[in-house]
Amino acid sequence: MFTRAIVRTPCRAMVDGLTSADLGLPDYAKALHQHHDYVQALEECGLQVSVLPADEAYPDSTFVEDVALMTPRCAILTNPGAPTRRGEVASMRATLAHFCTHIENIDAPGTVEAGDIMMVGEHFYIGLSERTNEAGAVQMIAILQKHGMQGSMVELTEVLHLKTGLGYLEHNNLLACGEFLHKPEFQAFTLLEVEPDEAYAANSVWINSTVLTPKGFPKTRQMIATAGYKIREVDVSEFQKLDGGLSCLSLRF
Ligand code: CIR
């Protein structure tokens, strides 16, 4: 069960955010509206949501998931692989100090963005991507082990972050697409195969028995419903324009 979430209001500078998507510039007013509905969806799942103010210094700062990994036993501040995002960590450190007793850090030359980390119980799969390097993953695993948890590395090449292509829905059910469908480490899961034309919806999020899924992906929505989950759709089109998925807009703990 999760009880809390932290989000950050998107800033006007989000139009300068990093992206490889060819979907045009985000509409700021629409992004604010969508973010508001996202917060409401988290509240509907029973979470108490802390909404941090927009930070114009960091265009990608609404994607709070990348700067910290929340675990049941500690929080781990990351060192983002994207240089323009490293400064986001300091303010998250101050925020987490209100919620967490044990706060750890990833240090250079290690880099980690927590969009690359998928929690399955007390095991954490860590994607090695353009943003998360092996030195960072090694540090992350050592910290997890210090707190009685485990981690393992997963190579990825096709997507930005591990959770761009994977979404763990608890009960051994794993949404997956592309390169993740055939990786040996995921074969023991019940794989819910997301079709390539709906790949964005692989980043759906389980929160206290409800699955938040992006609006506009009917086949994936139907597959999740057939698997027995209650669904809450959220329109996040303006964040998709910045390669951001549903999970990256919040820290849940
Ligand atoms: C970035 O490229 O860093 C942002 N524009 C998007 C981050 C998305 N985060 C995530 O998938 N966890």
Side-chain angles (χ1 to χ4, degrees):
M1 282 288 280
F2 296 109
T3 57
R4 288 184 174 276
I6 296 170
V7 302
R8 184 180 289 287
T9 305
C11 57
R12 286 184 184 281
M14 73 182 290
V15 292
D16 298 320
L18 299 170
T19 189
S20 62
D22 194 13
L23 298 170
L25 286 178
D27 176 319
Y28 183 59
K30 204 167 164 187
L32 281 179
H33 182 73
Q34 291 180 348
H35 195 263
H36 191 263
D37 183 54
Y38 180 84
V39 170
Q40 194 171 320
L42 296 177
E43 289 173 345
E44 288 167 20
C45 293
L47 304 187
Q48 189 176 336
V49 185
S50 302
V51 182
L52 305 178
D55 184 347
E56 294 294 341
Y58 299 102
D60 285 302
S61 53
T62 193
F63 301 115
V64 287
E65 177 182 64
D66 293 321
V67 296
L69 177 70
M70 308 304 284
T71 83
R73 301 190 194 155
C74 62
I76 302 154
L77 288 159
T78 67
N79 180 34
T84 56
R85 301 202 55 191
R86 294 204 179 128
E88 294 173 29
V89 176
S91 63
M92 187 55 75
R93 183 188 311 281
T95 300
L96 292 185
H98 297 292
F99 300 106
C100 309
T101 320
H102 302 291
I103 301 179
E104 307 272 4
N105 303 285
I106 300 296
D107 299 312
T111 64
V112 171
E113 293 186 6
D116 274 318
I117 306 186
M118 181 174 75
M119 178 172 79
V120 177
E122 296 196 339
H123 189 94
F124 294 76
Y125 291 92
I126 305 169
L128 298 178
S129 68
E130 283 188 9
R131 304 289 182 85
T132 296
N133 65 18
E134 194 170 333
V138 167
Q139 286 180 43
M140 184 59 79
I141 291 170
I143 294 167
L144 291 168
Q145 288 176 342
K146 180 178 137 189
H147 291 274
M149 300 172 284
Q150 302 88 41
S152 58
M153 299 184 211
V154 183
E155 302 271 354
L156 62 104
T157 56
E158 292 176 3
V159 287
L160 176 63
H161 288 125
L162 183 75
K163 281 185 294 190
T164 310
L166 284 177
Y168 185 55
L169 304 185
E170 304 294 321
H171 314 293
N172 206 46
N173 291 326
L174 182 61
L175 281 172
C177 69
E179 64 187 305
F180 300 113
L181 286 167
H182 303 293
K183 292 209 181 274
E185 53 267 68
F186 300 127
Q187 297 310 309
F189 291 98
T190 303
L191 291 177
L192 304 178
E193 182 172 344
V194 178
E195 295 188 28
D197 62 330
E198 293 204 355
Y200 181 71
N203 184 261
S204 293
V205 188
W206 179 95
I207 304 175
N208 302 342
S209 301
T210 296
V211 175
L212 259 53
T213 194
K215 188 173 170 215
F217 302 90
K219 290 181 284 186
T220 309
R221 182 199 160 110
Q222 185 56 50
M223 179 168 61
I224 297 169
T226 302
Y229 295 96
K230 181 179 167 200
I231 290 179
R232 167 62 152 91
E233 277 191 333
V234 189
D235 188 356
V236 282
S237 63
E238 303 316 292
F239 303 95
Q240 184 180 7
K241 292 174 180 174
L242 298 175
D243 290 336
L246 272 181
S247 72
C248 32
L249 288 169
S250 60
L251 288 169
R252 303 156 302 278
F253 54 105

